[in-house]
Structure formats: C-alpha cells, structure tokens
Amino acid sequence: MRLSRYFLPVLKENPAEAQIVSHRYMLRAGMIKQQAAGIYSWLPLGFKVLRRIEQIVHEEQIRAGHIPLLMPTLQPADLWRESGRYDDYGQEMLRIQDRHKRDLLYGPTNEEMITDIFRSHVNSYKDLPLTLYHIQWKFRDEVRPRFGVMRGREFLMKDGYNFDVDRDAALHAYNRHMVSYLRTYERMGLTAIPMRAASGPIGGDNTHEFLVLAQTGESEVFYDDRVTALKLGSREVDFDNRAEVEAVCNEFTTLYARTDETHDADVFDQIPEEHRKVGRGIEVGQIFYFGTKYSEAMGATVVTADGSRVPVEMGSHGIGVSRLLGAIIEASHDDKGIIWPEGVTPFHCGIVNLKQGDAGTDAACEALYKALKLGGLDPLYDDRDERAGAKFATMDLIGLPWRITVGPRGLAAGKVELTSRRSGISEEMTPEEAIARIGAIYADHP
C-alpha cells in the first residue's frame, strides 16, 4: 500500500473526549470514528488490525478442535424466556420489536441460540464432544460507554460453546479453551493472566478471566508476580490428551492471581512479600463451565450408551476481539504513539522515502516495496511529498514495528536504514539485507 493512495486521517492534537491512551491513539491514528456513544466505524487501519486479531483467534480455535459457524446479531426473545434470562439480564440488553410486534433483542451473548441449534440437530452421545464458536458483533447498552473500544456498546466478540456428555469431558473442554487462549494472547504479544473470577449473568461456579496488566484497567487484581514469567512458547500441546492439557492449566493457575471480586486476603498474605503485587487489569477474555444450567432449562439432551437421556454439560468461552486492540495499545505504546507487536501489526514495515521525486530514492523504494510484496509481506510505502519529520511522526504514531528509511546519502554508500519501533535502534545495511531481516522476523509471525 502507498500512503499517497491510502485513507489515513491522522490527527495532530489529542482529542478532548479521549481519556485513556488507547482511545487517544486510535482516534489520532485514524483507526476509528465515533458514530454514537460507544459505537464506532472502523477505518482502514483499525480494520486491518481487527482482521489480524480475528484471524489469530480463528487459527487457535481451529487448532484446539473447535468448529466455526455464524449466528445472527438479532435473536428472538422467546429463547431467552425459555432460559429465564430475558427479564433477569437487565437494561444492558437492547430489546426491540419488528413490524409484526415480535419481541427481539440485539444479542449480548449466544448461550440460548447455540443451545437451540444443538437441541435441533444432536441427539446421541456419539456426536459428542462438540465445541462450536463464532466471531460476531454484540451489543450491551452500557450506561456510561467510555474509553473508546475498551468500554463500547457495540463490540466484536468470539464466543464459543462446548457440549459434553459428562462433567469430566466438560472440564476438559474448559481446560482446552484455557490453553488455546493462552496461545492466542501470546501470539498477539500480550501477557494475559488467567485469574479466578466471578461468573456474573452467564452463570456457573467455575470461571477464569484473562487480564492484561495496565494502569487503566477496570479491575483491581492481586497476583504473585512469578505468574507473569510463564509462557507457552513454541511447545506443542495435544488437545486430545486430557492429562497434558490439565497440566498446562495447572502450571498457569497454581500461582495466586485473582480479581477483586474473588480476592482472598488470607491466602494472598501467604505469598512471599517480594512477589505479592496489586495492580489493575484489562479483561480480554473469560471462560465458564456452567454444567446443565441451559440444557436443563431448554431441553438439550442426548441419549447415552445405556439408553438413558441426560442433559448435556456445557460451558461458554469469550474473547473480546475489538477490545483487544485497546488492550494491546495500553500495554504497548510510548509518548510518540502505538508500538504494534509483530503478530497484529497492520503493515509489516514502513518504507520512508526521504527525497520523494529523486530518481535514485524513488527507484530504491519501489524495488524494496516490490521485493517485500513478493516475499509475502505487506509494507506501507510513504511516498508523499512531505518533510522527513512529518513522515517519521506518522510512522511512530501508527506504530509499525519496523521502518526502512531510504535517502540519497545512504544510497550513495549502498545502504538503507532499518529501525526498530520498540527499541529505537537503527542499523545501516544493504537493501537486500533489510529485506532478508524483515523476512526472518516475520517467519515467526505468519
């Protein structure tokens, strides 16, 4: 993509309505535009990051054996009346009627609808285990939407639902989701800590939230700081091996980590003082095991091997896909702008032409651009007739992890400059070496 042809409406000043870093930078970098309170249009740069995050979520769900589908945003109220949640959910639910006076709602979650799909098509234990998920827009009518996409009313969410014949199988599905989420967040450059949490309106007595540590987090968190060093890394996990999956979950949940809702001061005080930490966290996902809460109420049963009919054991599992953009920025920025991790960056690198119109620099930039594209990468070429300072400021604001700078003086020596956005360190090298370096970096971030 060439910046002269791209739609990137950057702002020089901080918007007055933006209270936190991620909201400021998403507006300034031309990623979103507010259309109503808590409702945003996703402009091209923001949309690219949103799609990259969504793709990672899809890949890790499928790796764990989960099956994608797509459910509608509007749901019939009768399904929620069956489960007993229609009146209990509260004013966050947007209730509407169609022209025939039928009650509908804009889905805040999909437990009822997925249970209806299951009971319509599955009858035997032989079809289990089954985990279905989708990534879809949700709406919760927050009384005070704020902080941009961090506390919006309309948001993109991955929600998954497991159906199992007994409790042990359902708890394995719970653990499988935990491991898949850990890998998902790591691929996005985040340290997301699973913390014992409260279930809220979803229900159930077994739930973990995944929280990213940040000063702007809405939740107070209490944790043993040794949990922040735990990583899955490149290890392969057999998602069908219950013992192996459970062992990984135990590794990441044995150390103390809880939200303020489930905090136990007596247990916390037993942690060595140097490792006791209190901070704030941004919730980016949650997993629930709630047994037969919905299957009993809605008649979702299967015939077992002995011919009896039992309600299926269930759980649900959510990741805030759009919310993750804000969380990543809160965790990765400086006073110049965003610093995207390689796994989610909208463009893999930026190319800055220091002397647009000069035959030599124009040709060198074009050659770099084409070579990177041929290598399967997605560069952003700043080919505008602007001052060098303005070009650097734009690149710093939008946060591409790597920048290749091309100028007449460097080219005279056969060199370009490769700069890391995170460290600020620049190296001179040949164009071929820069292309090879960028390719090697992203080999680990397909």
Side-chain angles (χ1 to χ4, degrees), residues 296-311:
E296 283 188 345
M298 300 181 67
T301 62
V302 292
V303 176
T304 63
D306 63 9
S308 61
R309 185 172 285 277
V310 298

Side-chain angles (χ1 to χ4, degrees), residues 213-235:
L213 299 175
Q215 292 179 346
T216 51
E218 71 272 57
S219 301
E220 187 174 26
V221 295
F222 304 80
Y223 62 100
D224 183 326
D225 68 354
R226 288 171 289 190
V227 74
T228 62
L230 299 175
K231 303 290 181 189
L232 269 179
S234 60
R235 73 177 101 166

Side-chain angles (χ1 to χ4, degrees), residues 71-373:
M71 291 175 277
T73 57
L74 294 179
Q75 302 184 30
D78 285 346
L79 287 177
W80 286 66
R81 291 189 176 108
E82 270 193 76
S83 71
R85 284 206 301 174
Y86 185 69
D87 295 320
D88 294 344
Y89 203 88
Q91 291 185 328
E92 283 191 357
M93 181 188 289
L94 182 63
R95 296 165 170 85
I96 57 179
Q97 284 189 334
D98 65 14
R99 66 172 66 193
H100 302 292
K101 305 300 181 184
R102 287 180 294 229
D103 292 328
L104 300 169
L105 58 100
Y106 194 130
T109 183
N110 281 75
E111 282 79 10
E112 285 80 1
M113 184 167 283
I114 198 71
T115 304
D116 180 54
I117 291 171
F118 177 89
R119 71 184 179 183
S120 299
H121 299 286
V122 180
N123 187 55
S124 171
Y125 76 99
K126 294 179 181 179
D127 295 320
L128 303 182
L130 179 65
T131 296
L132 303 170
Y133 80 93
H134 73 158
I135 298 177
Q136 179 62 289
W137 292 97
K138 303 285 193 291
F139 190 91
R140 295 177 188 168
D141 201 1
E142 294 273 357
V143 62
R144 283 185 295 275
R146 56 197 176 119
F147 301 158
V149 301
M150 297 287 288
R151 186 64 70 84
R153 293 192 294 166
E154 185 185 53
F155 54 95
L156 189 63
M157 179 178 173
K158 171 261 156 181
D159 44 319
Y161 306 90
N162 66 282
F163 301 88
D164 292 278
V165 72
D166 57 36
R167 176 183 170 86
D168 287 346
L171 289 176
H172 173 58
Y174 184 95
N175 291 341
R176 195 172 63 238
H177 269 87
M178 182 176 290
V179 175
S180 73
Y181 279 20
L182 290 169
R183 192 184 299 279
T184 297
Y185 297 127
E186 280 188 25
R187 285 186 60 186
M188 296 177 190
L190 290 171
T191 299
I193 305 169
M195 297 192 178
R196 179 69 63 180
S199 60
I202 300 294
D205 56 5
N206 198 19
T207 179
H208 281 83
E209 286 180 354
F210 292 80
L211 289 104
V212 174
L213 299 175
Q215 292 179 346
T216 51
E218 71 272 57
S219 301
E220 187 174 26
V221 295
F222 304 80
Y223 62 100
D224 183 326
D225 68 354
R226 288 171 289 190
V227 74
T228 62
L230 299 175
K231 303 290 181 189
L232 269 179
S234 60
R235 73 177 101 166
E236 289 295 327
V237 178
D238 180 357
F239 284 98
D240 291 325
N241 186 321
R242 293 190 183 187
E244 183 178 349
V245 172
E246 184 178 5
V248 175
C249 293
N250 290 339
E251 176 186 346
F252 280 82
T253 59
T254 298
L255 291 169
Y256 191 93
R258 298 194 186 185
T259 63
D260 51 0
E261 295 175 303
T262 58
H263 176 54
D264 187 326
D266 292 336
V267 177
F268 187 61
D269 288 343
Q270 296 174 22
I271 300 168
E273 185 176 359
E274 66 270 23
H275 293 297
R276 281 201 304 268
K277 294 290 186 286
V278 179
R280 303 203 68 80
I282 300 168
E283 182 199 341
V284 291
Q286 190 164 4
I287 57 177
F288 304 85
Y289 162 68
F290 43 67
T292 59
K293 173 182 170 68
Y294 297 93
S295 56
E296 283 188 345
M298 300 181 67
T301 62
V302 292
V303 176
T304 63
D306 63 9
S308 61
R309 185 172 285 277
V310 298
V312 290
E313 298 274 339
M314 292 176 59
S316 67
H317 324 88
I319 284 182
V321 175
S322 53
R323 183 182 178 85
L324 271 165
L325 274 84
I328 291 168
I329 295 169
E330 292 292 331
S332 185
H333 68 272
D334 60 17
D335 59 0
K336 296 178 182 178
I338 303 163
I339 306 174
W340 291 116
E342 280 84 356
V344 298
T345 179
F347 295 95
H348 295 116
C349 70
I351 302 170
V352 172
N353 188 337
L354 292 181
K355 195 171 183 182
Q356 194 69 39
D358 176 82
T361 56
D362 287 358
C365 288
E366 289 288 345
L368 279 166
Y369 181 77
K370 290 177 181 177
L372 289 165
K373 294 286 285 184

